[in-house]
Amino acid sequence: MTWPDQRAPPQGRLSVKRTLSTPRRPWEKRMPRIRVEVDGATYEDDVEPRLLLVHYLRERLGKVGTPVGCDTSNCGACTVLLDGESVKSCSVLAVQADGADVTTVEGLGVGGTTHPMQRAFHEEHALQCGYCTPGMIMASLDLLRENPDPSDDEVREGLEGNLCRCTGYQNIVKAVRRAAKDMREPAEREVTP
Amino acid sequence: MIPAAFDYARPRSVDEAVRALADAGEDAKVLAGGQSLMPLLRLRLAIPDALIDLGRIAALREIRDDGDAVVIGSMATHHQVIRDPLVRAHLPLIARTTETVADPAVRHRGTFGGSLAHADPAGDLPAVALALDAVLLVRSPRGEREIPAAEFFVDWMTSALEPDELLVGVRVPKLGPGWGVHYEKFHRTAQAWAIVGVACAVRRDGDSVAEARVALTNMGPAPVRAGAVEDAVRGRPISDDSFRSAGGHAADGTEPPSDLHGSSEYRSHLATVLTARALAAAAAA
């Protein structure tokens, strides 16, 4: 979206802020209860409707492996899987995730092991500062779900919604292709402790 | 950044949603996929006092055959639309354009109907709806209403929807045999909004153009149909010369915005070049 200089941005009614005291709609509930499965554990919480999924994960559940990046749904750092599909968790309300299954980067390694995608990012030097990495990894897993053997170009297209300002992407592409191979042919690879 | 507080309703049916929207009054917003609304809420450019979340109304996600048209439920996600066999077979312009919208994570959540109701002049799908003569299907407490795309996009981020009206689906006439389609989009980075976009469908008759439909993205406060281009190319031989000369009319009567992505003059020039390319690509498709 672009903001033409000569026009004011769209606004709700800015002047009148209703007090929070009086319910006036039959369906009004200020703190709906949600039930979410996150990285294999089930959580039930009362949340404000305006709470973003990323803030719920970080501040309520302590899942700080998912960072907030741009906060405007451009950068993809906060990408998680919602019922198996990649989403930018800064652009989803926690109430929208009610009843859903969420996987964050913290849910990938089981019992101290690393996921093949995490290993490939490590081994191919696919990160420098690491801020974009959780989102890159989750978006890459989503890509491989639909396309288990992507070309370089397909990896670049699949990760178009994830920005990295360090690596220039070359090693990220290498890592995703390496992980794809490892995940297709797990038997060929020795299991690392 | 945290949105201002709002009430939240999650209706289970279209009837419930229509009732909730009517209850909520004119400061409510409908939440579809949220991929445009959520940034506006976080930046507090929008401060609605209630959100009606359509996410649990399965009926609104259906895409069905309707004889000579396809009806796309307003909550069908971009991801779903791209892969839908009916859309791919009969409305390839929608499938291909949707592939260029944002990025995979956004396409998992963002919806066809949401993109139209949001009426962002930089959005790709409004121009496509306009080029394909889509009809928007609307429900309110007063009943049902059909709005042709040509009357739906009123102004900058403003549609013809009344505050209590809900977009439930979009009926798009199938393109018959002989049509080629193309969406030409100019943007600086992969996931960016179009600086200018051209939605184009061309019906060939031997070596000439029998009929063309052209609509432009981001060439004004709302998407516009390039009638002058359609007239100029009708009956002309399929050649780069015809397309260049017809494309020269693309900016006729438009008022493209100036912003940090480009001046109004730049957009006008871009429209002529992209329209010629879009016509050629559609004719060759």
Side-chain angles (χ1 to χ4, degrees):
Chain A
M1 177 179 53
T2 53
W3 303 114
D5 299 331
Q6 65 273 28
R7 308 282 293 273
Q11 293 178 346
R13 203 166 54 188
L14 286 166
S15 51
V16 181
K17 198 68 221 135
R18 195 164 60 80
T19 62
L20 288 171
S21 54
T22 43
R24 57 170 195 182
R25 302 185 176 114
W27 39 264
E28 177 174 340
K29 279 204 196 91
R30 283 199 295 278
M31 292 280 274
R33 165 149 294 208
I34 62 167
R35 185 187 166 91
V36 197
E37 180 152 324
V38 182
D39 297 338
T42 304
Y43 300 88
E44 268 193 59
D45 275 300
D46 295 332
V47 297
E48 259 196 290
R50 62 171 165 170
L51 182 68
L52 301 172
L53 179 59
V54 69
H55 291 144
Y56 175 70
L57 293 171
R58 291 176 58 83
E59 291 160 20
R60 295 287 277 277
L61 307 187
K63 298 260 175 195
V64 293
T66 302
V68 180
C70 65
D71 221 0
T72 51
S73 70
N74 282 293
C75 80
C78 65
T79 303
V80 300
L81 302 183
L82 186 64
D83 286 334
E85 292 186 334
S86 63
V87 302
K88 296 180 176 184
S89 61
C90 74
S91 297
V92 178
L93 298 170
V95 283
Q96 291 178 285
D98 182 21
D101 186 352
V102 179
T103 308
T104 78
V105 73
E106 295 185 37
L108 297 183
V110 186
T113 63
T114 47
H115 187 279
M117 186 66 76
Q118 292 173 305
R119 247 181 351 247
F121 268 65
H122 178 237
E123 289 169 9
E124 294 291 345
H125 305 284
L127 59 140
Q128 288 177 31
C129 85
Y131 204 87
C132 72
T133 310
M136 284 286 178
I137 286 177
M138 301 317 286
S140 301
L141 289 172
D142 182 73
L143 167 66
L144 296 191
R145 187 173 54 88
E146 289 213 331
N147 181 358
D149 186 13
S151 66
D152 280 12
D153 282 351
E154 287 167 341
V155 172
R156 287 175 191 280
E157 266 181 40
L159 298 181
E160 66 181 324
N162 293 73
L163 304 182
C164 172
R165 303 287 78 155
C166 301
T167 62
Y169 302 101
Q170 302 288 358
N171 288 352
I172 293 176
V173 175
K174 278 191 214 162
V176 175
R177 296 203 61 186
R178 177 174 180 157
K181 186 165 184 297
D182 290 347
M183 289 164 68
R184 287 197 311 275
E185 306 156 7
E188 281 181 20
R189 206 191 143 77
E190 64 178 289
V191 178
T192 49
Chain B
M1 288 169 283
I2 296 168
F6 48 77
D7 293 339
Y8 174 80
R10 192 165 66 201
R12 294 277 170 175
S13 68
V14 173
D15 287 344
E16 267 182 54
V18 168
R19 212 172 310 127
L21 190 56
D23 282 348
E26 61 179 28
D27 286 334
K29 283 290 281 181
V30 173
L31 173 60
Q35 300 303 289
S36 295
L37 181 57
M38 218 59 78
L40 290 176
L41 293 176
R42 284 194 319 242
L43 295 166
R44 301 206 179 188
L45 291 168
I47 308 186
D49 65 10
L51 282 193
I52 317 297
D53 179 1
L54 304 184
R56 302 299 162 104
I57 307 177
L60 290 180
R61 297 197 190 272
E62 279 174 15
I63 300 175
R64 62 182 168 84
D65 199 317
D66 189 32
D68 55 2
V70 174
V71 175
I72 303 178
S74 56
M75 285 293 288
T77 64
H78 298 315
H79 182 84
Q80 182 188 346
V81 165
I82 290 168
R83 284 155 185 79
D84 187 86
L86 280 173
V87 174
R88 296 194 76 85
H90 301 295
L91 305 170
L93 182 58
I94 290 181
R96 281 192 225 152
T97 305
T98 306
E99 285 171 358
T100 76
V101 172
D103 57 64
V106 170
R107 293 196 292 267
H108 283 143
R109 302 287 302 171
T111 64
F112 185 70
S115 295
L116 300 184
H118 190 55
D120 189 326
D124 302 298
L125 295 170
V128 170
L130 199 56
L132 296 177
D133 292 327
V135 176
L136 292 93
L137 313 174
V138 170
R139 282 274 305 275
S140 75
R142 299 180 300 288
E144 295 179 7
R145 177 160 89 106
E146 299 192 350
I147 310 175
E151 294 163 23
F152 186 78
F153 304 103
V154 173
D155 200 347
W156 194 68
M157 298 183 82
T158 307
S159 75
L161 290 172
E162 298 292 335
D164 63 349
E165 284 185 322
L166 190 68
L167 178 64
V168 293
V170 185
R171 192 172 64 233
V172 193
K174 293 173 183 173
L175 286 179
W179 285 91
V181 296
H182 185 74
Y183 186 69
E184 184 76 17
K185 178 173 180 173
F186 189 82
H187 51 174
R188 291 210 177 89
T189 59
Q191 49 156 222
W193 297 85
I195 295 172
V196 172
V198 182
C200 183
V202 170
R203 185 163 64 83
R204 290 171 303 255
D205 182 9
D207 292 331
S208 60
V209 174
E211 187 182 352
R213 304 204 204 146
V214 181
L216 307 172
T217 297
N218 221 2
M219 281 295 288
V224 285
R225 192 81 178 251
V229 175
E230 295 176 359
D231 291 341
V233 80
R234 189 177 301 119
R236 302 279 301 166
I238 290 176
S239 74
D240 285 347
D241 275 352
S242 320
F243 298 143
R244 249 198 312 275
S245 113
H249 295 284
D252 291 6
T254 62
E255 298 169 17
S258 286
D259 58 31
L260 76 169
H261 299 291
S263 65
S264 180
E265 297 72 27
Y266 175 68
R267 280 196 164 87
S268 294
H269 174 69
L270 204 50
T272 63
V273 176
L274 299 181
T275 299
R277 282 185 201 165
L279 288 166

